[in-house]
Amino acid sequence: MSHPTPPSVLRRPQLWIGTGLIAAVVSMMFALLYVGGNVDPRGNLRDLPVALVNSDSGADVNGSRVNLGEQVVSGIQKAAKGDKSIDWQVVSRKEADKRLGRGKVFGALVIPEDFTATVTGLTAPQPAPQGKAAPPTLTVLTNQAAGSIGSSMSSQAAQKAAHTASAQLGQELLKQAGSQKTPLPTAAQLKLADPVTVNVAEGHPVGSRSAMGLSAFYYALVLVVCGMLGANVVNSQVDTALGYLHTDFGPFRKREPVQHTSRVRTLAIGMALMLGLSLVMGTLVEVATVGILDMDASHLGLLWLYSVATIAVVGIGSLALFAAFGTPGMLLATIVFIAMAVPSSGATVPVQALPGFFRALAEFEPLRQITEGLRSLLYYGAQADAGLTRAWASMGVALVAALVFGFAVAHLYDRRGLHRIPRPDAETGPSAIPAETPEHPESPESAAPATA
């Protein structure tokens, strides 16, 4: 019997066509998904939630009550009618702090209580008690915990709105100053033209060791990858233990006796093993990130439970895909849990800045739900309505779906006689998947130690 040589193998068209198609599809899909979701966040920005707070109490000017804060809010809302990129949510300061502390808004623009008094004081005939009028201010609050890019977009929009309001107020102040008998110096006119000072502050601070609000995403990605890799290891080890695959140790090859069992039982063994490994992997992930790397984290017990559950659910979901689709299931798992999940996670680019296709993916893709739950655990004090409840619910739905799908397909294969290794009394045909059996042992050449 002649053995194939490398040149003869490489001359096979099937090898090039099959491998080339897989490589082409994977490279094209990853490029379209990864770059397509993030290539134009500003162009895709729609309804980014930003709080708008008017705490201005107003002031009496020439015998009438004036509230310039309401004028600023009205101007921002009027400008927003033609621009749907920002969803300005007019709320109280208390409600704004609550939404910032739950990740419901990416930032806020705050009009202080003395805003009208300080603005009108710039043109008052009598100077302030210290001889210098207090400058009016507007405060822009950021929220890196909700996502650094989303927080930056919110901050830029709020600063732009604040400077626009300042310019509009400046025009009115210059008109008032021009009606006075004493002309203003040039320096004073320049100051009145843009009277408001815009301050930027953190609305919901994150720890210094939280990757500037990205530690939740990195931690979530580690859990997903651990679940996928764990499923791959479990899948191969179970097949090896049942004698379906051999194990190579350097130049030596070992193969266990084949143990005929159903696909349902094989899947059950793999899922049980995955549950056990998830305890180990989840524990080590938390030890490495929190214990060794000193990542900012609280609620460590709940974080451990969440980590273990996430790895287990991702691993069981991957095993279900392996059981249903075989080797292509590994590629499918990579597409579902990585290729489509990362750009739709909202962890870097907010969901409000994604194209419509990725926004739809974000509603059910697991990485977004996992990241939201981790944000709640790491940044928002494990509040249920900060994403933790949705994360647990999504995890439960995904687990049930994986179990039902995996066992239903495996049971269907068993009922139709699509056994992984044909029984000795079964005919070899389209319904049986060819494989090595004890009746067709490996040749002595393949079982012998490899030589250099």
Side-chain angles (χ1 to χ4, degrees), residues 154-193:
S154 166
S155 177
Q156 292 175 14
Q159 290 184 59
K160 181 180 178 181
H163 287 299
T164 300
S166 177
Q168 293 173 349
L169 291 173
Q171 293 177 2
E172 297 180 8
L173 292 176
L174 288 174
K175 290 181 181 179
Q176 295 176 11
S179 63
Q180 296 178 6
K181 297 180 180 181
T182 305
L184 290 175
T186 302
Q189 292 181 21
L190 292 175
K191 182 178 180 181
L192 287 181

Side-chain angles (χ1 to χ4, degrees), residues 264-345:
V264 169
R265 291 176 180 174
T266 303
L267 180 58
I269 293 171
M271 289 185 174
L273 184 58
M274 188 68 230
L275 288 174
L277 289 182
S278 64
L279 294 170
V280 177
M281 299 175 77
T283 301
L284 293 179
V285 168
E286 184 168 338
V287 168
T289 54
V290 179
I292 299 177
L293 299 177
D294 194 28
M295 181 186 76
D296 290 327
S298 58
H299 304 277
L300 298 183
L302 188 55
L303 179 62
W304 173 83
L305 180 62
Y306 189 89
S307 303
V308 171
T310 300
I311 293 175
V313 172
V314 173
I316 289 174
S318 299
L319 288 173
L321 293 175
F322 299 166
F325 301 102
T327 302
M330 298 181 182
L331 178 59
L332 186 58
T334 304
I335 293 173
V336 172
F337 291 113
I338 300 295
M340 293 194 303
V342 172
S344 63
S345 65

Side-chain angles (χ1 to χ4, degrees), residues 340-423:
M340 293 194 303
V342 172
S344 63
S345 65
T348 51
V349 176
V351 174
Q352 292 81 4
L354 295 176
F357 171 73
F358 293 93
R359 290 197 192 193
L361 285 180
E363 293 300 320
F364 61 87
E365 268 294 336
L367 188 56
R368 185 201 174 190
Q369 327 306 330
I370 296 169
T371 302
E372 298 262 332
L374 284 169
R375 279 176 174 164
S376 175
L377 288 170
L378 298 179
Y379 311 142
Y380 301 132
Q383 297 181 81
D385 57 351
L388 191 57
T389 297
R390 174 171 175 155
W392 280 118
S394 300
M395 207 178 296
V397 171
L399 177 61
V400 172
L403 292 173
V404 171
F405 174 73
F407 283 112
V409 174
H411 180 66
L412 176 63
Y413 290 166
D414 285 335
R415 285 191 60 185
R416 297 188 62 180
L418 300 174
H419 305 296
R420 302 183 66 193
I421 294 182
R423 297 187 303 272

